[in-house]
Amino acid sequence: GGIFVTCYLFFFLVAQPVYKNQITINGKIQDKVNFIEKYYQVLNQASYYQAKETANKNIKTTLQKNFLAEKEPGLAAAGLQKLLQGFSEGTVTIEKTRIEKPKFIEGILAIPVEVTIRSNLKNLALFLMRIENNQKFLIIEEFRSRRTNKQEPENLQTRLLVTGFINQLEPKSGKQK
């Protein structure tokens, strides 16, 4: 009987706590091994992140080409006028251009230019297509058209508000205009 009591006490007082302590230590070791494996997985993905960085630079370069090249609003407006005159060659007659006050649209500086043109319907459609399909970010905010001659309904006088964008963000402290 004494051997049984001794073995029983040895099991509950010595063996069981040592076994539980060993299980806890093994769990901690496994957690650290898992952490090291995840760390090496992240290190091994360096080429993936470098490829992503290169792709982001390419996207940034592509987006830069879509903004008007000039950094100053006045120069950008003049560049937009020149661009619109290029679109009008062989299609419409530009009667008047007027530069509107620059404003921020969705946090990006927009340069609006009002253009009054005379044309027929076919050439007006071609002119609008040239604006829409241009590489630059251009939008037509306003479009007002009226016929100039009741005898010739194809002859139109159209007023457009064409807006181009320059790569300048709205200041954080400023209010949207």
Side-chain angles (χ1 to χ4, degrees), residues 63-132:
L63 285 176
Q64 285 289 4
K65 292 177 184 175
N66 293 338
F67 288 104
L68 296 173
E70 297 82 4
K71 297 296 179 197
E72 294 296 319
L75 294 175
L80 180 56
Q81 278 181 319
K82 187 174 181 180
L83 193 63
L84 291 172
Q85 286 174 348
F87 295 155
S88 71
E89 289 178 7
T91 57
V92 300
T93 303
I94 295 180
E95 291 183 336
K96 180 174 84 169
T97 58
R98 186 176 69 147
I99 298 172
E100 300 280 325
K101 182 178 175 187
K103 59 186 175 184
F104 287 97
I105 297 177
E106 296 297 324
I108 300 175
L109 189 59
I111 310 297
V113 174
E114 183 181 290
V115 181
T116 304
I117 58 175
R118 282 191 184 269
S119 68
N120 62 27
L121 190 58
K122 179 183 172 188
N123 287 338
L124 176 62
L126 182 61
F127 179 70
L128 294 175
M129 186 189 72
R130 287 178 181 176
I131 292 173
E132 290 175 351

Side-chain angles (χ1 to χ4, degrees), residues 29-77:
I29 289 172
Q30 188 60 39
D31 289 344
K32 291 183 182 187
V33 167
N34 289 341
F35 175 75
I36 290 172
E37 287 175 355
K38 287 181 181 178
Y39 179 75
Y40 279 119
Q41 287 175 351
V42 169
L43 283 179
N44 291 335
Q45 289 182 346
S47 61
Y48 168 78
Y49 289 112
Q50 288 173 345
K52 281 289 197 184
E53 181 181 8
T54 304
N56 287 341
K57 285 180 182 177
N58 291 340
I59 290 171
K60 183 178 179 183
T61 303
T62 303
L63 285 176
Q64 285 289 4
K65 292 177 184 175
N66 293 338
F67 288 104
L68 296 173
E70 297 82 4
K71 297 296 179 197
E72 294 296 319
L75 294 175

Side-chain angles (χ1 to χ4, degrees), residues 154-173:
E154 283 280 315
N155 292 338
L156 301 173
Q157 181 178 16
T158 306
R159 188 171 63 95
L160 303 170
L161 185 61
V162 180
T163 302
F165 296 89
I166 60 175
N167 191 9
Q168 181 177 337
L169 299 177
E170 183 175 15
K172 296 287 182 189
S173 60

